[in-house]
Amino acid sequence: MKHIHTLITLFICICSSLSCDKAEAQTDSRNYPLSALAVRSGGSWYHAAIDQDTRVATIGAVEYLNSITDVNYTIASGATISPDPKSSDWKWSESQYFTVTSDGAETVYKVEFTALRPADEQGLIFADEFDIDGTPDQSKWSLCPKGNPDWCNQMSESYDQAYVKDGNLVLVGEKKNGQYLAGGIQSKDKFSFSFGRVECRAKLTRHPDGAFPAIWMMPQTPLYEGWPACGEIDIMEHVRQEPHIHQTIHTHYRNNLGFDENTTAQTPCNYADWVVYAVDWTPDKLTFYVDGKETFSYSNMNLPDEAEKKQWPYGPGSAYYLILNMGLGDEGTWAGPMDDANLPAIMEIDWIRVYQQ
């Protein structure tokens, strides 16, 4: 009996100790300002190992920052986090800091990616984060010239309508002294490329009728001369008050011969908020995206009479440059007449990046 009593006592003590340890762990967990963090990449979730002593959250396996499509976290009840990784303004970088405020105390956490490849290994060949206020980087961009096509017939050729402020490129369409003025920049003669992925984070801050903002590409080195034979890649266009954006390709095969199958998509999206517009360009296909979701693709048909029909001006030997612009419409144009009362029209660009694996 004595031995049984001793065992029972010992069992009670162990259970009590385990309960205390469990309760203490639960209390500690509740006291942690940040108790969980995970990012989604390539369709899978990767959870951070959080060292609560150093306040470092380490994430492995993620190799490319541009592959992160979502984030989730758990903070203490009633706590706040700044900047919020779930907000549309969040941008991932190699070393990221944010502050969790809980019970009046601020705790700074650092996020580190242990498997992240260097920018050159990620294939980043061109980028502009638009982080320096003033004139856009003139080693990368020049102003869009005024011309006859509808998109540029109101170009101001002035940085008054194309400037960087508060970390964004601001492209403006306005009316001054009875004259319409629109801003735009292009990488022509400064940067062009063949095959890769373009991503651009943008929002249409003000979009009255007649505004015609666009993110697109034209050939620096065309396979076929003259438009539309030379090709055109429209990553994003918006007109009027339509509830969607347009993504389109232009070719001789489509525009002149009338073969219009699967050459454009109209994608509903909250274009007035930050949205990432993208295109993947390979020797055999163009694939378009909005916020990481594929919208449509257009393939090289390898026509035996390609030289005549010019269906695929996007093959080896071609190179395209980038255009970011606000346009203004008029009677008879796609964007329609301007709504002067609601000017200015404004598109903001947070960043643009080109990758080439």
Side-chain angles (χ1 to χ4, degrees):
M1 291 294 293
K2 183 178 180 180
H3 292 298
I4 294 175
H5 183 269
T6 302
L7 288 172
I8 292 172
T9 303
L10 180 60
F11 179 75
I12 292 171
C13 290
I14 292 172
C15 289
S16 177
S17 176
L18 289 173
S19 297
C20 290
D21 289 344
K22 185 177 180 181
E24 184 178 350
Q26 289 176 340
T27 301
D28 287 346
S29 178
R30 286 195 299 268
N31 287 337
Y32 291 155
L34 175 74
S35 56
L37 175 69
V39 297
R40 185 177 179 86
S41 172
S44 300
W45 284 96
Y46 297 93
H47 297 267
I50 304 176
D51 187 325
Q52 298 293 352
D53 293 326
T54 62
R55 306 301 191 188
V56 175
T58 303
I59 300 175
V62 175
E63 295 183 331
Y64 308 107
L65 287 175
N66 66 312
S67 71
I68 298 175
T69 57
D70 201 359
V71 61
N72 205 353
Y73 59 80
T74 302
I75 57 178
S77 178
T80 60
I81 188 169
S82 179
D84 188 345
K86 291 183 179 180
S87 75
S88 59
D89 293 326
W90 181 267
K91 291 189 289 188
W92 288 105
S93 62
E94 294 182 17
S95 293
Q96 200 94 37
Y97 294 88
F98 53 83
T99 302
V100 179
T101 303
S102 178
D103 295 330
E106 293 185 350
T107 305
V108 177
Y109 281 87
K110 179 183 180 182
V111 182
E112 292 183 343
F113 294 89
T114 59
L116 196 66
R117 296 190 182 187
D120 57 346
E121 291 186 21
Q122 293 191 48
L124 185 66
I125 60 171
F126 177 91
D128 200 331
E129 305 295 321
F130 301 112
D131 286 338
I132 301 176
D133 286 3
T135 301
D137 188 341
Q138 294 186 55
S139 69
K140 299 176 180 178
W141 308 101
S142 58
L143 290 167
C144 293
K146 187 172 183 176
N148 292 324
D150 292 342
W151 75 271
C152 63
N153 61 8
Q154 311 286 3
M155 282 292 130
S156 69
E157 300 181 319
S158 169
Y159 290 111
D160 289 343
Q161 286 75 38
Y163 56 86
V164 179
K165 183 178 180 181
D166 297 331
N168 299 316
L169 171 68
V170 183
L171 301 172
V172 180
E174 57 188 344
K175 191 174 187 179
K176 286 187 173 182
N177 300 320
Q179 182 181 4
Y180 289 116
L181 302 169
I185 59 175
Q186 60 184 15
S187 68
K188 185 178 182 181
D189 299 326
K190 300 189 177 186
F191 169 76
S192 61
F193 71 103
S194 302
F195 314 129
R197 180 181 178 90
V198 180
E199 296 182 346
C200 185
R201 188 169 185 260
K203 70 175 179 179
L204 306 184
T205 309
R206 292 181 60 86
H207 39 88
D209 284 340
F212 185 16
I215 301 164
W216 54 304
M217 298 162 59
M218 285 292 288
Q220 179 81 53
T221 307
L223 291 183
Y224 309 121
E225 294 298 327
W227 189 92
C230 65
E232 175 182 324
I233 303 170
D234 299 326
I235 303 171
M236 189 284 290
E237 295 178 297
H238 183 259
V239 292
R240 302 187 180 93
Q241 295 297 312
E242 294 180 342
H244 51 261
I245 59 93
H246 298 260
Q247 295 174 299
T248 308
I249 63 94
H250 294 276
T251 65
H252 173 74
Y253 186 77
R254 173 193 193 265
N255 295 63
N256 293 337
L257 300 184
F259 296 100
D260 198 24
E261 298 88 351
N262 204 38
T263 58
T264 186
Q266 298 178 3
T267 303
C269 66
N270 185 15
Y271 54 76
D273 200 353
W274 289 108
V275 178
V276 177
Y277 303 101
V279 64
D280 273 326
W281 174 25
T282 71
D284 294 308
K285 183 183 287 189
L286 287 161
T287 307
F288 294 78
Y289 301 85
V290 172
D291 273 341
K293 296 180 180 179
E294 182 178 335
T295 54
F296 87 104
S297 64
Y298 182 71
S299 297
N300 180 3
M301 297 178 184
N302 295 299
L303 298 176
D305 51 354
E306 167 64 24
E308 176 187 347
K309 292 185 176 177
K310 301 178 178 61
Q311 181 267 332
W312 190 249
Y314 313 111
S318 65
Y320 280 66
Y321 63 91
L322 305 166
I323 307 173
L324 309 172
N325 75 274
M326 174 60 71
L328 295 176
D330 203 345
E331 292 287 350
T333 68
W334 185 31
M338 276 308 309
D339 175 11
D340 289 1
N342 288 299
L343 287 174
I346 299 174
M347 177 168 68
E348 295 182 76
I349 307 290
D350 185 8
W351 47 257
I352 186 166
R353 301 165 186 159
V354 181
Y355 299 88
Q356 195 173 64
Q357 298 297 337

